[in-house]
Amino acid sequence: MTALNNSARIAVIGAGAMGAGIAQVAAQTGHPVLLLDNRPGAAAQAIAGIDRQLGKRVENGKLAAESRSATIARLQAVEAIEALADCDLIIEAIVENLEVKRALFRQLEEICGERCILASNTSSLSITRIAAQLVHPQRLLGLHFFNPAPVMPLVEVVCGLASDPALAACLYDTAKAWGKKPVH
């Protein structure tokens, strides 16, 4: 398996600093990105924040105005988890709580097709433990970005005991295509 192509739909759950940063990285490299947060309006606010940050880069001559516009056009705030049903990759960037993450991934497994790769941005929880209650634990991996995600190059691709090595290779290649320095 190779990197996800630019037509692959990416979703990020959690519109805080990490989620917004990850969404920006994926959108800047050409992917359509859905951003979801359980706080009403938070995803739209995150996109507005990304737009302001990119605007400063345009003003400083570090980014073309067309790139800013194209990136923002690829970002879409959604308010319901069901909107993520046809995504190719979903990256979770929510609270570091095992039971909350488990519940989210169980819900995603019911909603999303089998081809969807599920990833957690967790930095402290075991992927094996998060995936333990899933029907298909092989499709859950860790994809840990460092803050701020648009700036920091390192991305950790983390396998649990059941993680599919082909999906790990895909995430590694995708992170590399996004301009990151992935490590297993």
Side-chain angles (χ1 to χ4, degrees):
M1 186 175 262
T2 59
L4 294 172
N5 66 41
N6 283 352
S7 65
R9 290 175 54 109
I10 310 295
V12 179
I13 301 175
M18 288 307 301
I22 295 166
Q24 178 182 335
V25 168
Q28 282 184 299
T29 57
H31 292 277
V33 179
L34 302 178
L35 185 58
L36 172 69
D37 196 285
N38 65 356
R39 298 167 295 153
Q45 289 175 345
I47 293 170
I50 293 167
D51 191 29
R52 282 190 301 277
Q53 290 171 359
L54 294 178
K56 290 177 185 174
R57 294 192 66 214
V58 170
E59 289 172 14
N60 293 334
K62 296 183 179 191
L63 182 71
E66 298 79 24
S67 294
R68 172 192 183 188
S69 298
T71 297
I72 297 305
R74 286 189 286 270
L75 290 164
Q76 179 186 353
V78 296
E79 296 293 328
I81 197 165
E82 292 78 14
L84 311 182
D86 66 344
C87 287
D88 299 289
L89 169 61
I90 299 176
I91 305 167
E92 161 277 310
I94 63 172
V95 64
E96 288 289 284
N97 178 294
L98 179 63
E99 292 310 317
V100 173
K101 288 181 188 293
R102 280 180 170 172
L104 173 64
F105 284 113
R106 281 192 305 269
Q107 188 176 11
L108 288 170
E109 197 172 42
E110 291 175 8
I111 293 168
C112 300
E114 289 185 22
R115 68 173 169 70
C116 180
I117 303 169
L118 303 175
S120 176
N121 186 58
T122 186
S123 60
S124 62
L125 298 174
S126 162
I127 297 302
T128 300
R129 290 186 70 201
I130 296 170
Q133 297 176 347
L134 296 179
V135 175
H136 302 286
Q138 67 276 7
R139 67 190 237 189
L140 178 67
L141 296 102
L143 191 62
H144 178 234
F145 290 78
F146 290 79
N147 194 17
V151 176
M152 300 298 286
L154 184 63
V155 174
E156 297 172 319
V157 178
V158 182
C159 288
L161 289 176
S163 297
D164 182 338
L167 296 182
C170 175
L171 290 183
Y172 182 95
D173 292 345
T174 299
K176 196 169 188 177
W178 290 356
K180 298 300 179 182
K181 291 186 168 83
V183 295
H184 286 285

